[in-house]
């Protein structure tokens, strides 16, 4: 979690979350270990001011060629580097890779979220391939001096990594966009300028956390191929009538959203639980270091109304496997955890795994059981650890003898995407 990330989220937190009736939801003075799930509700949103997302996707399909995840993987244009050993300090290492030199060191793009085809389908593979997806956000001020180094925020990109051959992974970046119509009524899109701290692939849908707003949803059946050659244009270019995406070949438009309806919950990270009945997703929130609450993290551990998060929460929503959407917009579980700096979360029924950062030191994988709020340590993670994705050993197509948890690290020059054994060393 970099200084620039704190600056971005501080700006987002300046907009208060309104409760029903227009008032602010006051945080409780102290939270119990188990909370009332009904406190946490979302509202499904199927469009924006330009119309419904479905209609806009149909409009784009009339002017752009559609593509598939298989097309993206088949056109992978970058080579990742297979890890033959664990990143420094990481315990119970199972597998992983690093990015190519350009992505390993790029300052303005920062990796954050991870999910795999083992989340997407119970078989663990998508179109016969083992796939890892990683989200990156664009940092306009990577040196953190308060002066933007890049005038345009290019939003969020997702790396589609073909990990079918772990010794030779290949990938391509796809830009996430929100569809819209121009003032003249033409179909276009804009970059999704969010932090993308966690992603989850479930069937044809890709979920992404939107820190104070809730969840954004993208339909992987509506990938579009666009023109390349203009690195400073996103959307319809009036000068030539073609659609661009900052020189990326593919765009993935937003297809829906679940908006936070007022509860003070930061959507910092999320993960899938395939062991629950029904399948479910869990969300957790980054907060201040609870062992040193006097430290000011410049807004990162703050609620949407400006108050500090003193007791981070883990909240669960059930999923409907028939359409891959939320089965209910009301949470099915809500618990608290006495743990600061949560960067990733994933659950296996009542067991919640958490990745936590430690500044320039190694991060930690923790585990906590619902109803108790003090986590135990499982193993050490890489410096700059971020999101989590659980991969059951029952998914035999990946050839893991034990269940593993995927994690990734964000620091330039030390960026790894790797799996550790869930049971620890």
């Amino acid at each position: 979690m970099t200084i620039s990330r704190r600056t971005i989220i501080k700006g987002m937190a300046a907009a208060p979350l309104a409760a029903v009736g227009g008032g602010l939801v006051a945080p409780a003075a102290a939270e119990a270990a188990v909370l009332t799930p009904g406190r946490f509700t979302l509202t499904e949103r199927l469009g924006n001011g330009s119309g419904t997302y479905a209609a806009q996707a149909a409009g784009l399909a009339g002017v752009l060629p559609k593509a598939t995840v298989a097309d993206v993987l088949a056109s992978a244009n970058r080579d990742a580097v297979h890890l033959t050993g664990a990143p420094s300090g990481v315990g119970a290492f199972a597998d992983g890779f690093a990015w190519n030199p350009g992505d390993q060191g790029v300052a303005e793009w920062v990796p954050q979220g991870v999910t795999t085809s083992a989340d997407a389908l119970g078989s663990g593979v998508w179109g016969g391939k083992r796939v890892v997806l990683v989200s990156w956000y664009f940092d306009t001020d990577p040196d953190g001096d308060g002066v933007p180094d890049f005038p345009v925020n290019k939003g969020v990109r997702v790396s589609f990594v073909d990990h079918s051959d772990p010794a030779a992974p290949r990938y391509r970046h796809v830009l996430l966009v929100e569809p819209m119509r121009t003032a003249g009524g033409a179909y276009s899109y804009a970059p999704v300028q969010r932090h993308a701290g966690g992603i989850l692939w479930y069937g044809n849908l890709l979920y992404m956390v939107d820190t104070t707003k809730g969840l954004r949803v993208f339909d992987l059946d509506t990938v579009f191929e666009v023109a390349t050659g203009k690195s400073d244009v996103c959307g319809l270019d009036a000068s030539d009538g073609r659609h661009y995406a900052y020189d990326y070949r593919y765009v993935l438009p937003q297809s829906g959203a679940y908006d936070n309806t007022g509860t003070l919950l930061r959507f910092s990270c999320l993960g899938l639980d395939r062991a629950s009945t029904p399948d479910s997703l869990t969300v957790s929130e980054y907060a201040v270091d609870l062992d040193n609450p006097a430290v000011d993290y410049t807004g990162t551990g703050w609620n949407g109304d400006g108050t500090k998060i003193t007791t981070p929460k883990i909240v669960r929503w059930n999923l409907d496997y028939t359409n891959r959407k939320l089965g209910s917009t009301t949470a099915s579980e809500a618990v608290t955890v006495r743990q600061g700096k949560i960067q990733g979360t994933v659950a296996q029924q009542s067991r919640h795994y958490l990745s936590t950062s430690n500044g320039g030191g190694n991060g930690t994988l923790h585990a906590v059981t619902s109803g108790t709020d003090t986590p135990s340590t499982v193993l050490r993670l890489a410096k700059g650890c971020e999101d989590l994705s659980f991969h059951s050993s029952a998914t035999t197509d990946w050839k893991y003898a034990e269940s593993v948890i995927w994690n990734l690290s964000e620091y330039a020059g030390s960026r790894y995407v790797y799996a550790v054994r869930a049971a620890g060393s």
Side-chain angles (χ1 to χ4, degrees):
M1 178 167 294
T2 60
I3 293 175
S4 56
R5 172 173 178 169
R6 295 197 290 267
T7 303
I8 290 171
I9 298 183
K10 181 180 180 182
M12 294 167 63
L17 296 176
V20 176
L24 289 174
V25 177
E31 299 278 20
V34 178
L35 306 176
T36 303
R39 288 174 49 183
F40 303 93
T41 59
L42 302 172
T43 299
E44 186 176 14
R45 177 167 52 84
L46 299 176
N48 53 26
S50 292
T52 67
Y53 291 127
Q56 292 165 14
L60 287 171
V63 295
L64 293 173
K66 291 189 70 173
T68 65
V69 172
D71 293 329
V72 174
L73 295 173
S75 64
N77 59 346
R78 305 186 186 208
D79 294 320
V81 179
H82 177 233
L83 295 179
T84 57
S88 178
V90 172
F93 174 78
D95 200 359
F97 60 88
W99 306 103
N100 76 3
D103 290 326
Q104 193 73 357
V106 65
E108 64 270 27
W109 284 106
V110 186
Q112 293 292 294
V114 65
T115 185
T116 77
S117 51
D119 285 336
L121 296 174
S123 67
V125 296
W126 186 273
K129 292 184 177 294
R130 298 185 288 270
V131 186
V132 178
L133 302 187
V134 172
S135 63
W136 308 60
Y137 78 91
F138 193 86
D139 188 352
T140 60
D141 182 22
D143 61 10
D145 64 358
V147 180
D149 299 298
F150 299 90
V152 177
N153 183 343
K154 296 185 178 181
V156 176
R157 69 183 187 186
V158 172
S159 302
F160 285 66
V161 185
D162 185 346
H163 200 258
S164 301
D165 179 1
R170 305 200 75 225
Y171 65 100
R172 175 180 280 276
H173 300 309
V174 174
L175 193 71
L176 298 190
V177 297
E178 183 167 8
M180 54 172 287
R181 300 187 74 169
T182 67
Y187 291 100
S188 186
Y189 46 79
V192 176
Q193 296 174 341
R194 291 295 184 267
H195 188 66
I199 55 174
L200 165 62
W201 186 4
Y202 189 57
N204 64 306
L205 298 183
L206 179 66
Y207 288 81
M208 183 192 83
V209 288
D210 188 341
T211 312
T212 60
K213 305 298 183 183
L215 300 169
R216 293 193 181 214
V217 186
F218 302 81
D219 185 351
L220 289 164
D221 290 335
T222 58
V223 178
F224 293 107
E225 186 174 2
V226 299
T228 57
K230 293 188 177 183
S231 61
D232 58 347
V233 178
C234 183
L236 179 62
D237 187 349
S239 68
D240 62 10
R242 306 181 75 189
H243 291 76
Y244 296 88
Y246 299 130
D247 221 15
Y248 292 104
R249 180 176 171 181
Y250 297 101
V251 296
L252 176 59
Q254 184 172 340
S255 61
Y258 290 97
D259 294 334
N260 190 4
T261 54
T263 302
L264 292 180
L265 174 68
R266 295 186 67 79
F267 290 72
S268 299
C269 49
L270 83 162
L272 175 69
D273 184 355
R274 279 194 172 276
S276 65
T277 303
D279 295 343
S280 58
L281 64 80
T282 55
V283 170
S284 192
E285 52 191 351
Y286 183 88
V288 296
D289 184 346
L290 303 184
D291 294 328
N292 189 10
V295 174
D296 181 1
Y297 286 95
T298 323
T300 310
W302 295 65
N303 283 302
D305 70 339
T307 57
K308 279 190 178 181
I309 297 171
T310 56
T311 311
K313 297 173 282 292
I314 303 172
V315 183
R316 183 192 303 269
W317 279 270
N318 291 335
L319 291 161
D320 183 348
Y321 77 93
T322 64
N323 59 16
R324 305 300 181 173
K325 299 169 71 172
L326 295 190
S328 171
T329 53
T330 299
S332 58
E333 180 189 23
V335 298
T336 61
V337 57
R338 295 291 302 172
Q339 180 62 57
K341 299 183 180 180
I342 296 172
Q343 305 279 12
T345 185
V346 71
Q348 288 286 283
Q349 298 181 325
S350 63
R351 185 172 176 82
H352 300 271
Y353 293 94
L354 306 168
S355 60
T356 63
S357 58
N358 182 32
N362 279 84
T364 305
L365 180 67
H366 296 280
V368 65
T369 302
S370 297
T372 64
D373 62 3
T374 302
S376 60
T377 297
V378 179
L379 52 83
R380 302 300 288 173
L381 297 173
K383 296 178 182 180
C385 66
E386 289 291 329
D387 201 23
L388 297 175
S389 176
F390 189 92
H391 190 140
S392 171
S393 60
T395 310
T396 55
D397 288 302
W398 285 67
K399 312 301 182 188
Y400 295 134
E402 302 176 60
S403 294
V404 299
I405 295 177
W406 283 85
N407 182 236
L408 77 164
S409 52
E410 70 171 354
Y411 292 153
S414 301
R415 290 173 173 160
Y416 309 106
V417 184
Y418 60 97
V420 295
R421 296 188 295 276
S425 55

